[in-house]
Amino acid sequence: MIKLLNQLFDLCDDITVNSNQVKKKSLFVAYQGHKFDGRNFIDSAIKSGAAAIIYEKKNFEWKPEWNIPHMAINELKKELPIIANKFYGNPSNSLKLIGVTGTNGKTTSTVWLSSCLNQLKIKAGYVGTLGYGDNINLFPTSNTTPDVFSTQKILQYFKAKKASHIAMEVSSHAIDQKRIDTLEFDIKVLTNITRDHLDYHGSIENYIKCKTSFLLEKPLSVIIINNDDPAGKIIAEQIKTQNKTLKLLTFGLENNSDLMAKKISFYNDRVAFDLHHKDEIYRFEAPIFGKYNLYNLMGVIGCLLKLEINIKDIQSVVLDLPQIEGRAEVIKRNDNNEPIIIIDYAHTPDALRNILETIKQHNSKKLTVLFGCGGNRDQGKRKEMAIIANQWADKAIITSDNPRDESPVDIIEEISRHINIPLKKFEKRDAAIKYAVEGMSSNDILLIAGKGHECYQEIKGKKYPFSDKNIALKVLEKIKK
């Protein structure tokens, strides 16, 4: 198999599972996926210039008129990580690869980590929800963790750019679908585990099991875990008792951990705290918002320490952490420099609770939350998010998120029946934002939640251009005039 694979590789300049991306000298890999069978697009790939084809052998006959080098493999899907890794030359072996998994905080943690490393003149890249690149110039990705071939191609890109460290978001889908199986992670981080993706995993137990499998495989990795997270604490105890070859570092604000934040002072736009580590105490300050982001920062500090960065250098670089697009992003402040319109990606119950609680604790204004829930996703969180809005907000505006194949009206009604604070409903999200912004008084603060950085809205299988931030800013501009 290896010999024939290498022969096919020699004929090709790139490799893809998407027939629309095939060009001259591409290697097209065709197998049966969730929605489509790639083997139905072999003819199209050949016409687009494919130089060779690898395809799933089971229940398929190669057509004699396809006069092109090819290879049939049983259970091809399982072999994809190996094929991708060999084609691109195992780039992760030449990089310090840090993988961050968890329900919330992956993007913030990885962006901050790569930013800190670049500030320290350590050339670092980022791969995740926002795309991939060096934090300044980002290229789009199709998923939080890209498909197996795109991921290897991206790592090869960073290797060619002379990057030495990569901070990568690792989603539960990527773990379950084996997209990262051949990647060699030096450090793995768990931010937290709360309800999400139950439409895919079936239960919270399966979801936790999936995250745990990533952390515990390949015992040479350093594992960094949020010890205040209930699931994280259990996993940490499991490592201590059963996997002593793993190098574990825990962090927390409450439970006894290797890294502890104490004497914490939260402000509107920053936090100050004492970091306790190895019987020493270090005073830290950082421009971050809320307790939940302090947990993200603690994980980043843990990574930097495990990368043998001097603690004084860490104290210095965290003073300049970047604002992340769509993550507690303030797009309007009042004359007293207080935030009054905030955009956040919060689309899970825990994330919505965190951002609402933080805003409420630091602001006495009347809080309006605008949100919806995605279609074709875990329906159980719709009620939970409504209850959280009741607990922390003064008013709710329920609208569409990414309805996908579901009726947006039905989703809105499913959320709204559990709302018991003043409520407005809008099927059109742009109309909801316009209403919310135009109706603000000097005593109001508005959270636009759910989509954050996203520049599209997905409806019936199509993504339409859409940006919460751009719409809100346009409304504000009209108000000024």
Side-chain angles (χ1 to χ4, degrees):
M1 172 175 154
I2 300 300
K3 184 178 179 181
L4 182 52
L5 270 178
N6 288 333
Q7 289 173 352
L8 296 183
F9 291 168
D10 289 341
L11 298 172
C12 304
D13 291 336
D14 73 344
I15 186 168
T16 182
V17 296
N18 187 338
S19 62
N20 293 322
Q21 295 176 359
V22 170
K23 54 191 176 184
K24 192 174 180 181
K25 298 194 75 175
S26 288
L27 173 53
F28 180 56
V29 181
Y31 63 95
Q32 194 165 9
H34 291 296
K35 291 185 177 180
F36 304 104
D37 189 334
R39 296 172 298 185
N40 294 332
F41 300 91
I42 289 176
D43 194 62
S44 172
I46 292 171
K47 289 176 181 176
S48 296
I53 309 288
I54 297 173
Y55 64 96
E56 169 59 53
K57 184 176 182 180
K58 186 177 180 181
N59 300 325
F60 190 78
E61 288 188 16
W62 183 264
K63 294 182 181 180
E65 61 264 30
W66 292 339
N67 187 22
I68 185 174
H70 58 276
M71 180 179 182
I73 298 177
N74 278 316
E75 296 188 321
L76 172 57
K77 199 171 180 181
K78 292 182 180 179
E79 304 296 332
L80 295 181
I82 296 171
I83 293 169
N85 197 43
K86 285 186 176 297
F87 184 87
Y88 287 107
N90 191 19
S92 68
N93 186 48
S94 305
L95 300 162
K96 283 281 186 184
L97 187 58
I98 301 101
V100 179
T101 196
T103 307
N104 301 307
K106 296 187 296 295
T107 301
T108 299
S109 300
T110 46
V111 170
W112 283 351
L113 177 57
S114 57
S115 173
C116 287
L117 290 168
N118 281 312
Q119 284 187 65
L120 292 164
K121 308 303 179 186
I122 299 170
K123 194 165 185 180
Y126 157 79
V127 184
T129 305
L130 301 180
Y132 73 95
D134 59 5
N135 294 113
I136 298 171
N137 301 301
L138 290 175
F139 304 98
T141 52
S142 55
N143 302 100
T144 295
T145 310
D147 70 79
V148 64
F149 294 108
S150 297
T151 295
Q152 294 284 1
K153 188 175 184 178
I154 288 167
L155 294 180
Q156 186 196 55
Y157 162 84
F158 282 124
K159 182 181 175 182
K161 291 288 186 180
K162 308 298 182 186
S164 58
H165 293 63
I166 307 298
M168 175 184 286
E169 296 185 49
V170 177
S171 70
S172 60
H173 288 71
I175 299 166
D176 185 68
Q177 295 168 13
K178 314 296 182 186
R179 294 183 216 158
I180 56 167
D181 268 18
T182 56
L183 301 188
E184 298 182 24
F185 288 92
D186 297 275
I187 298 175
K188 298 175 181 179
V189 183
L190 176 67
T191 57
N192 50 67
I193 303 180
T194 58
R195 180 175 186 145
D196 201 14
H197 303 305
L198 299 196
D199 55 294
Y200 180 89
H201 294 285
S203 68
I204 189 68
E205 291 78 15
N206 289 340
Y207 182 51
I208 293 171
K209 186 178 179 181
C210 177
K211 296 286 191 185
T212 304
S213 70
F214 167 67
L215 296 168
L216 300 187
E217 68 177 9
K218 297 182 181 178
L220 295 179
S221 298
V222 172
I223 312 297
I224 298 174
I225 290 180
N226 177 356
N227 206 35
D228 288 349
D229 180 75
K233 194 172 192 301
I234 291 170
I235 297 168
E237 289 299 324
Q238 184 179 341
I239 291 171
K240 289 175 185 176
T241 57
Q242 301 174 21
N243 297 272
K244 294 184 179 179
T245 54
L246 289 170
K247 301 167 187 174
L248 175 67
L249 177 77
T250 58
F251 64 88
L253 281 58
E254 297 162 8
N255 295 327
N256 188 38
S257 306
D258 300 310
L259 286 179
M260 294 285 295
K262 297 185 177 181
K263 293 187 178 178
I264 304 164
S265 297
F266 290 104
Y267 306 95
N268 268 334
D269 56 356
R270 64 188 173 92
V271 64
F273 62 97
D274 284 348
L275 179 74
H276 290 240
H277 177 53
K278 291 184 176 179
D279 299 322
E280 298 288 342
I281 300 174
Y282 308 90
R283 191 63 178 168
F284 270 76
E285 192 168 316
I288 67 174
F289 182 70
K291 183 179 178 181
Y292 67 99
N293 267 327
L294 179 53
Y295 280 110
N296 295 330
L297 178 58
M298 291 289 283
V300 170
I301 292 170
C303 287
L304 294 171
L305 287 170
K306 284 299 182 182
L307 292 170
E308 300 182 348
I309 306 298
N310 183 280
I311 192 78
K312 290 184 178 179
D313 289 332
I314 299 173
Q315 286 174 300
S316 176
V317 293
V318 301
L319 289 169
D320 294 312
L321 293 173
Q323 165 68 60
I324 301 171
E325 185 182 7
R327 302 313 193 270
E329 183 179 6
V330 178
I331 65 165
K332 181 173 174 58
R333 294 178 180 271
N334 62 16
D335 294 339
N336 297 322
N337 202 36
E338 296 169 327
I340 55 172
I341 301 180
I342 299 170
I343 290 177
D344 194 84
Y345 190 50
H347 60 284
T348 67
D350 187 59
L352 188 64
R353 180 188 297 108
N354 286 336
I355 184 78
L356 286 173
E357 182 179 359
T358 300
I359 293 170
K360 203 67 174 174
Q361 287 174 343
H362 295 285
N363 204 304
S364 59
K365 295 179 180 295
K366 290 185 178 179
L367 173 56
T368 297
V369 59
L370 182 155
F371 74 101
C373 288
N376 306 111
R377 296 294 186 267
D378 175 15
Q379 295 185 7
K381 68 181 182 182
R382 296 171 186 175
K383 177 180 178 180
E384 287 191 29
M385 292 176 74
I387 292 170
I388 288 164
N390 294 336
Q391 291 171 337
W392 294 102
D394 300 293
K395 179 181 176 182
I397 299 173
I398 307 303
T399 186
S400 299
D401 189 281
N402 291 315
R404 299 183 178 89
D405 296 321
E406 284 194 63
S407 160
V409 173
D410 289 349
I411 298 172
I412 290 166
E413 288 304 319
E414 192 172 347
I415 300 167
S416 298
R417 71 170 62 108
H418 303 290
I419 296 287
N420 57 28
I421 55 177
L423 168 68
K424 284 286 185 180
K425 296 180 286 187
F426 292 86
E427 180 180 351
K428 301 293 185 182
R429 191 175 177 94
D430 55 350
I433 293 171
K434 183 174 184 291
Y435 170 84
V437 174
E438 287 181 342
M440 291 184 71
S441 71
S442 60
N443 195 39
D444 291 337
I445 184 167
L446 170 65
L447 171 66
I448 303 172
K451 292 179 62 60
H453 66 284
E454 288 182 348
C455 56
Y456 65 86
Q457 189 172 34
E458 188 175 349
I459 304 170
K460 300 293 183 184
K462 188 173 180 180
K463 291 183 177 180
Y464 297 89
F466 193 98
S467 164
D468 285 353
K469 180 178 177 178
N470 288 348
I471 291 168
L473 289 175
K474 284 179 182 177
V475 177
L476 287 170
E477 190 63 33
K478 286 183 179 178
I479 292 172
K480 283 182 185 178
K481 293 177 181 178

